[in-house]
Amino acid sequence: MDSLHSRYHRQIILSEIGTSGQNKLSASKVLVIGAGGLGCPALQYLTAAGIGTIGIIDFDTVEASNLHRQILYGENSIGKNKAIAAKDRLVDLNPDITINVYPEKLTTKNALSLFAAYDIILDGTDNFSTRYLVNDACVITGKPLAYGAIFKFEGQVAVFNYKNGPTYRCLFPEPPKAGSVPSCSEIGVLGVLPGIIGSMQANEVLKIILGIGDVLNGKLLMYDCLSTRFSSFSIQRVDKQVSKILNTAKNFETIDYDLFCGILHIKEKTALEVFQLKDIQYIDVREDHERPKIESLHPLYIPLGSLEKEMHKIDHEKETIVFCQSGVRSKKAVEILQKNGFQKISHVKGGAIALFEYQSSKVV
Amino acid sequence: MELTIKYFGMLAEATTIHEEQIQTEACFVSELIKKLKDQYPKLHQNDFKVAVNQQLVDHNYFINNQTEVALLPPFAGG
């Protein structure tokens, strides 16, 4: 028996797999998005099972607080990029397969070409913005998606976009309100839970490749590790959701998934920067009585409470900077304006107080 | 009819229970949800989907002679 056969012997002797199944595994290409709590266990089993080509994309670095659940890593991995650190360990686990690493963020710019090079995508991400991006890119490139997600002691597993089945958007068409679902780093997670869920995702990937068993297609599996209870729910494909995604294919690179999930990037300017800029439209969102006025900037005076009503006074085309007294209300104003389609917009860090101090220091 | 309501994830935290039995007349999912939100105001903060007898349904689904309603929130963690 050659070394290859001895490595996979215990799965090759399963009549459902055999040499032909092993050949299918070694001919397949799986891309794992995120080498964290879910990605690590999935990567370990997929590597050990002999998936021929595995891609790992992750921009993040290993931290000590990852080690209680991301057991692919050890002390020596701390500070290293996760995709690279994962490959270091996986190569030792199985040197006979190809492992491609992408130590970068998954974006709308790289997703489609990356997904096109693989057969199956495994979602091990930790935020809604990337999850919707991954789902939509799978729909556009026609790749099945092995989905998993966790919350404290509970997990979800499903296979989306497989054999005309439902997609993630057929289950959750819209992301939840920003900030309403806490992440593992905010709320904590029992280390073994992503181990179980990530392993289940890997199991779905193997079943798809081998063509055995029942794939979790059209079903959402919920697992509660405290009550040790599994429940599964049927999901229907919603064609309207799928065609909506396909319609975005042409402009995919320009979609802002953070914005879609309510995560706004608010640009900030310092007082120093403000006084170096020219041809800017300023908006003072404070109440009329608030002092000091920054008259040298000739701002439009629109209190925050009247902003939506008086938005028409603001020139869409012009670079716009908002300020308030200390920089809190102006952030809210930028959010409101961004939601209403204003793009060239930022706010002043420290507000009128910072502007006034800077101005006074120049006069002296 | 008697219905078993199951709460998952943060919905179990909002209601402080994982499961309960309620007595209700046959009704639309939207009516049931309104009733539950009135009873547990914290549910207003959460987005979730509804499954009746393990089938995902819309808010205009009519619940009659069914036994189980599950409220399913999205999870993001990984």
Side-chain angles (χ1 to χ4, degrees):
Chain A
M1 195 186 293
D2 60 28
S3 69
L4 207 63
H5 269 76
S6 63
R7 172 182 294 277
Y8 305 120
H9 179 255
R10 298 296 190 278
Q11 64 190 29
I12 288 177
I13 59 172
L14 290 166
S15 61
E16 291 80 357
I17 297 180
T19 312
S20 68
Q22 193 59 49
N23 290 340
K24 284 182 193 167
L25 294 175
S26 85
S28 63
K29 298 175 178 176
V30 178
L31 177 65
V32 175
I33 319 281
L38 298 169
C40 280
L43 281 166
Q44 282 166 293
Y45 279 112
L46 294 175
T47 299
I51 298 292
T53 305
I54 293 181
I56 312 169
I57 178 164
D58 202 318
F59 67 96
D60 208 0
T61 50
V62 180
E63 292 173 24
S65 65
N66 299 146
L67 299 182
H68 92 297
R69 65 191 186 286
Q70 298 172 25
I71 57 174
L72 179 59
Y73 307 123
E75 282 285 325
N76 289 333
S77 321
I78 293 174
K80 287 187 189 157
N81 168 271
K82 285 187 178 177
I84 293 168
K87 181 176 176 175
D88 287 348
R89 300 282 287 242
L90 295 170
V91 164
D92 184 47
L93 195 58
N94 189 347
D96 299 326
I97 66 162
T98 303
I99 300 175
N100 301 322
V101 296
Y102 310 94
E104 59 199 81
K105 209 169 157 44
L106 184 78
T107 67
T108 53
K109 307 264 187 305
N110 60 18
L112 297 186
S113 56
L114 199 56
F115 284 26
Y118 290 88
D119 305 320
I120 303 174
I121 313 299
L122 188 144
D123 182 356
T125 59
D126 61 359
N127 62 84
F128 287 110
S129 170
T130 318
R131 286 186 183 282
Y132 278 95
L133 193 166
V134 168
N135 177 71
D136 294 359
C138 280
V139 172
I140 292 169
T141 55
K143 307 291 174 180
L145 170 61
Y147 161 88
I150 51 174
F151 175 81
K152 289 179 80 176
F153 299 100
E154 292 172 62
Q156 298 177 335
V157 189
V159 171
F160 292 119
N161 201 42
Y162 179 62
K163 292 193 171 166
N164 247 352
T167 75
Y168 182 61
R169 280 190 196 249
C170 302
L171 173 61
F172 297 115
E174 300 284 333
K177 292 181 270 297
S180 68
V181 182
S183 67
C184 295
S185 59
E186 291 162 344
I187 202 165
V189 61
L190 187 70
V192 75
L193 176 70
I196 294 168
I197 299 297
S199 301
M200 293 182 75
Q201 289 175 266
N203 186 43
E204 293 306 311
V205 168
L206 297 179
K207 287 192 300 187
I208 292 172
I209 296 166
L210 294 167
I212 58 174
D214 295 318
V215 173
L216 259 181
N217 180 21
K219 288 200 183 84
L220 174 72
L221 183 80
M222 304 284 293
Y223 171 63
D224 181 338
C225 75
L226 291 183
S227 62
T228 320
R229 196 173 295 161
F230 287 94
S231 338
S232 118
F233 301 93
S234 305
I235 320 162
Q236 302 297 319
R237 179 180 170 97
V238 182
D239 285 324
K240 198 178 77 188
Q241 290 297 336
V242 180
S243 46
K244 231 160 112 182
I245 299 167
L246 290 172
N247 286 339
T248 66
K250 266 191 190 159
N251 304 318
F252 189 71
E253 286 198 8
T254 65
I255 300 173
D256 187 337
Y257 278 88
D258 280 351
L259 191 68
F260 170 65
C261 291
I263 305 159
L264 295 169
H265 298 290
I266 295 174
K267 279 185 240 149
E268 236 171 30
K269 295 270 194 294
T270 63
L272 169 72
E273 287 171 310
V274 165
F275 287 106
Q276 285 168 345
L277 292 166
K278 288 209 172 77
D279 201 27
I280 302 286
Q281 160 177 248
Y282 290 96
I283 305 168
D284 183 343
V285 292
R286 293 177 297 168
E287 299 301 319
D288 193 33
H289 60 85
E290 289 180 85
R291 297 289 183 277
K293 295 286 181 205
I294 313 292
E295 279 158 0
S296 62
L297 297 177
H298 306 292
L300 286 169
Y301 293 100
I302 310 176
L304 183 62
S306 324
L307 190 59
E308 301 210 51
K309 219 168 51 215
E310 298 187 31
M311 213 170 271
H312 60 275
K313 293 183 180 168
I314 306 167
D315 186 344
H316 257 267
E317 300 301 315
K318 250 186 156 175
E319 183 84 40
T320 303
I321 300 178
V322 185
F323 65 92
C324 61
Q325 192 72 351
S326 63
V328 177
R329 277 172 288 169
S330 55
K331 249 188 180 172
K332 284 218 173 89
V334 172
E335 272 186 41
I336 294 170
L337 292 169
Q338 281 184 342
K339 278 181 190 155
N340 283 280
F342 286 84
Q343 286 177 344
K344 302 172 186 172
I345 193 139
S346 55
H347 86 124
V348 180
K349 191 182 175 189
I353 297 170
L355 292 170
F356 184 73
E357 274 175 14
Y358 181 81
Q359 227 176 4
S360 312
S361 72
K362 287 288 137 187
V363 175
V364 178
Chain B
M1 67 182 164
E2 186 177 78
L3 277 182
T4 300
I5 316 282
K6 291 187 171 178
Y7 303 95
F8 288 88
M10 46 297 238
L11 308 180
E13 298 195 335
T15 59
T16 72
I17 43 171
H18 283 88
E19 194 175 314
E20 67 178 331
Q21 265 78 40
I22 65 161
Q23 287 295 332
T24 178
E25 298 297 310
C27 64
F28 287 102
V29 166
S30 54
E31 293 168 327
L32 177 69
I33 296 307
K34 190 183 173 302
K35 201 162 138 184
L36 295 173
K37 282 184 173 176
D38 287 345
Q39 192 181 346
Y40 305 107
K42 280 188 180 170
L43 282 180
H44 282 283
Q45 293 159 22
N46 296 105
D47 297 279
F48 53 86
K49 287 286 161 185
V50 178
V52 176
N53 283 12
Q54 295 86 44
Q55 289 264 356
L56 203 80
V57 296
D58 285 337
H59 278 206
N60 54 13
Y61 181 89
F62 193 70
I63 306 172
N64 190 13
N65 289 327
Q66 271 102 359
T67 56
E68 186 195 289
V69 174
L71 308 192
L72 307 167
F75 294 169

